[in-house]
Amino acid sequence: MLMNPALRDFWNTPSRYKVLYGGRASSKSHDACGRLIYATNKIPLKILAVRQFQNKITDSVYTLLKDKIDAFGYKNNYAILNTSIKNNNGSEFLFYGINRNIEEIKSTEGVDILYIEEAHALTEEQWEILKPTIRKQGSEIWLVFNPRLVTDFTYKRFIVNTPKDCIKRYINYTENPFLSETARLDIEEAKLEDEEKYNHVYLGHPKLDDNDAIIKRSWIEASIDAHKVLGIEPTGQYKIGYDIADSGDDKCATVETHGILTYRVDEWDAKEDELEESAERVFKQAKKENSIIIYDSIGVGASAGSTYKRLNKSENVKIKYSKFNAGDKVRDPDKIYRDTKIKNKDMFSNLKAQSWFEVSELFKNTYNAVMKDKPYKEDEIISISSDIKELEQLKEELATPHKDEDNLGKVKVESKKDLKKRDIPSPNIADAFIMAYAKPKVNPLLAAMQAK
């Protein structure tokens, strides 16, 4: 396999970013490596080839580049070294794993082409380091990948919101002139066996759902304006879920609901010495609809209750408020969870996990009602207004946290610490959303008494 003529114009078009994406067996990596060998044999170029993880040199495109050198008949022009490849004309290939060598990559100078293999795994934080590293005049950044999730940074940054001076090309096995008949027949058989999987693997369609996520994105999408689709007029209690910032980089967030409907979202920066001002901000909003405030009472949020008690008294109003302690024990501990035959206390690690999974069930019910026309109870579905300006952020935050387990094997929600390892900030809006829909652990009569 040399180079695919269908991609000639793509490679020959000058551009800061070249993005080649699609399904498996489409010749993407083969063609990129072929172009690199062809170019480096003509003029001296410094190539930085990276991928997310590289435990050994053979994990990289090192072997594929060697094969291209042989295929072009350039073997005498290149020195194949243990950790690099060099051409007699001064061209050089360097290989790194991004995850463990980001600081070393950052100090690399004079790069002509940064080639990112399996670029779907690139994080925003890594990109902010890599991009300014490639600063030589006329330098290019090539990204080659099979799309994974619609929420992945690379897909959003380069396919959905394509930057200026970027050329992107979608390609699949149907355009690969070197594909063997055996491989083609295997692919066609895969299509018959599981068309959805075929669309993802061989046609490069990104998945909407992360299988590890507690709430599937497809369920969330089905909930957008579900009340309108199902002909339901929202009724019942107004609520405000209030997530309180617990660190310098964190933000406060509120989600306002009316019965099954989420109709407003807010998020703002608030320092620790501004907690009272933030609580007053939420109280002012609650007065508009006589909403119940459900607030995060862990850590710095513990003082919010006393603020609301004071404001009720000073303003002569009766705004109800209730604590939400994510680390608290589960509600109804001896009740069986759904059809699992497992008690809540044995199923969930804490109240946060129980609440996330109960809200997940509401989304699933809504998906079945909207997409599959299944019967439903109005208090067992959920709807999100399409008028919310932070809608995309809300959807992404809700669909991000993964299911996890504690040391006893009980279900818990992926921690903020683990989210940070995936380069994901704290899901403040999503946490506020869960509070707004969580079933109360505190007796409603107690909340009423607090308002007196």
Side-chain angles (χ1 to χ4, degrees):
M1 183 186 294
L2 294 179
M3 292 184 287
N4 189 340
L7 293 173
R8 185 178 295 116
D9 290 342
F10 171 79
W11 295 119
N12 290 339
T13 302
S15 182
R16 168 64 168 168
Y17 309 109
K18 286 186 168 73
V19 182
L20 190 59
Y21 70 108
R24 290 182 60 184
S26 57
S27 80
K28 297 186 297 297
S29 297
H30 278 274
D31 219 71
C33 287
R35 292 286 167 178
L36 289 173
I37 293 302
Y38 179 76
T40 54
N41 193 61
K42 290 184 65 176
I43 57 174
L45 295 171
K46 189 172 186 177
I47 312 298
L48 179 59
V50 302
R51 55 183 291 156
Q52 191 64 224
F53 293 99
Q54 181 183 300
N55 294 318
K56 50 186 182 296
I57 191 68
T58 52
D59 288 338
S60 68
V61 291
Y62 175 87
T63 301
L64 190 52
L65 288 166
K66 287 202 306 180
D67 292 343
K68 296 303 174 185
I69 290 170
D70 289 342
F72 279 114
Y74 294 159
K75 196 169 183 178
N76 293 333
N77 298 350
Y78 286 86
I80 311 299
L81 308 176
N82 289 334
T83 59
S84 66
I85 296 176
K86 296 182 179 181
N87 188 288
N88 298 334
N89 65 10
S91 288
E92 181 181 17
F93 288 86
L94 301 175
F95 306 91
Y96 288 105
I98 303 173
N99 191 272
R100 295 172 184 153
N101 303 101
I102 193 70
E103 292 302 319
E104 195 169 351
I105 292 171
K106 189 166 64 172
S107 63
T108 305
E109 303 246 350
V111 174
D112 293 287
I113 297 175
L114 168 64
Y115 172 40
I116 308 176
E117 177 73 4
E118 297 182 358
H120 66 271
L122 184 69
T123 70
E124 184 174 5
E125 184 179 27
Q126 291 169 342
W127 174 245
E128 293 303 323
I129 295 174
L130 286 173
K131 181 182 175 182
T133 299
I134 313 306
R135 55 185 177 270
K136 184 177 179 180
Q137 181 64 33
S139 58
E140 294 185 350
I141 298 175
W142 296 7
L143 299 99
V144 176
F145 68 102
N146 300 338
R148 184 180 58 178
L149 296 170
V150 294
T151 54
D152 283 340
F153 166 73
T154 303
Y155 191 82
K156 291 188 298 181
R157 181 68 182 86
F158 293 97
I159 307 305
V160 179
N161 300 305
T162 307
K164 293 180 180 179
D165 199 14
C166 174
I167 180 171
K168 61 184 180 183
R169 177 65 153 81
Y170 172 65
I171 187 170
N172 287 317
Y173 73 95
T174 52
E175 292 188 81
N176 182 359
F178 310 106
L179 189 70
S180 70
E181 185 61 19
T182 298
R184 191 181 302 277
L185 290 173
D186 285 344
I187 293 171
E188 294 302 322
E189 184 178 351
K191 181 179 181 180
L192 295 174
E193 291 176 351
D194 188 337
E195 188 164 3
E196 184 177 349
K197 184 177 180 180
Y198 158 84
N199 288 337
H200 175 61
V201 174
Y202 292 106
L203 295 189
H205 294 177
K207 287 184 177 181
L208 193 63
D209 291 332
D210 180 348
N211 291 333
D212 295 322
I214 296 170
I215 304 175
K216 305 301 182 188
R217 191 178 179 94
S218 58
W219 300 351
I220 301 168
E221 294 290 351
S223 77
I224 307 304
D225 288 335
H227 66 295
K228 294 180 180 179
V229 175
L230 299 172
I232 300 173
E233 187 66 31
T235 60
Q237 180 66 57
Y238 285 85
K239 295 180 181 180
I240 298 180
Y242 173 30
D243 185 57
I244 303 173
D246 60 5
S247 70
D249 296 328
D250 209 357
K251 293 183 178 181
C252 288
T254 55
V255 167
E256 296 181 54
T257 66
H258 179 204
I260 67 168
L261 175 66
T262 294
Y263 65 91
R264 188 171 184 269
V265 168
D266 193 14
E267 187 180 41
W268 66 95
D269 291 314
K271 298 177 182 178
E272 192 167 336
D273 59 357
E274 298 172 338
L275 292 175
E276 189 161 341
E277 289 89 337
S278 292
E280 290 175 355
R281 173 177 177 156
V282 178
F283 189 84
K284 181 180 179 180
Q285 193 63 28
K287 287 198 299 180
K288 293 180 180 180
E289 304 289 356
N290 193 28
S291 303
I292 294 177
I293 302 170
I294 302 95
Y295 66 95
D296 176 12
S297 64
I298 296 178
V300 295
S303 64
S306 60
T307 300
Y308 296 138
K309 184 177 181 179
R310 174 180 60 78
L311 291 171
N312 270 328
K313 184 176 181 179
S314 64
E315 299 186 23
N316 195 27
V317 293
K318 294 182 178 180
I319 297 300
K320 297 173 185 170
Y321 54 95
S322 179
K323 298 178 181 179
F324 182 88
N325 186 332
D328 208 349
K329 293 180 180 180
V330 299
R331 177 184 19 80
D332 301 324
D334 293 317
K335 186 177 179 180
I336 300 299
Y337 178 69
R338 300 290 176 177
D339 56 355
T340 63
K341 298 182 180 181
I342 303 174
K343 293 180 180 180
N344 285 326
K345 66 181 181 182
D346 298 321
M347 180 77 178
F348 300 109
S349 178
N350 50 33
L351 183 61
K352 178 178 180 178
Q354 183 182 30
S355 299
W356 267 87
F357 275 81
E358 287 177 341
V359 172
S360 175
E361 288 292 333
L362 297 179
F363 276 113
K364 185 178 180 180
N365 293 342
T366 307
Y367 176 85
N368 288 332
V370 172
M371 305 301 294
K372 299 184 179 181
D373 200 29
K374 289 189 175 182
Y376 60 90
K377 295 179 181 179
E378 287 190 17
D379 62 348
E380 293 185 351
I381 61 172
I382 207 163
S383 182
I384 301 175
S385 172
S386 60
D387 294 329
I388 295 173
K389 62 183 178 65
E390 301 87 353
L391 183 60
E392 289 305 315
Q393 181 183 348
L394 174 60
K395 290 193 291 186
E396 185 165 340
E397 286 191 15
L398 285 169
T400 293
H402 288 171
K403 173 183 175 181
D404 202 352
E405 290 185 354
D406 64 15
N407 294 333
L408 299 175
K410 296 181 183 181
V411 173
K412 70 174 187 175
V413 181
E414 184 178 18
S415 68
K416 290 182 180 181
K417 184 178 179 180
D418 287 336
L419 284 169
K420 192 173 183 179
K421 290 177 182 178
R422 294 202 284 136
D423 196 28
I424 297 170
S426 176
N428 306 308
I429 293 176
D431 283 339
F433 186 98
I434 299 299
M435 287 181 227
Y437 283 98
K439 295 177 182 178
K441 183 177 174 63
V442 176
N443 189 312
L445 291 176
L446 177 59
M449 289 172 62
Q450 290 173 331
K452 292 182 179 180

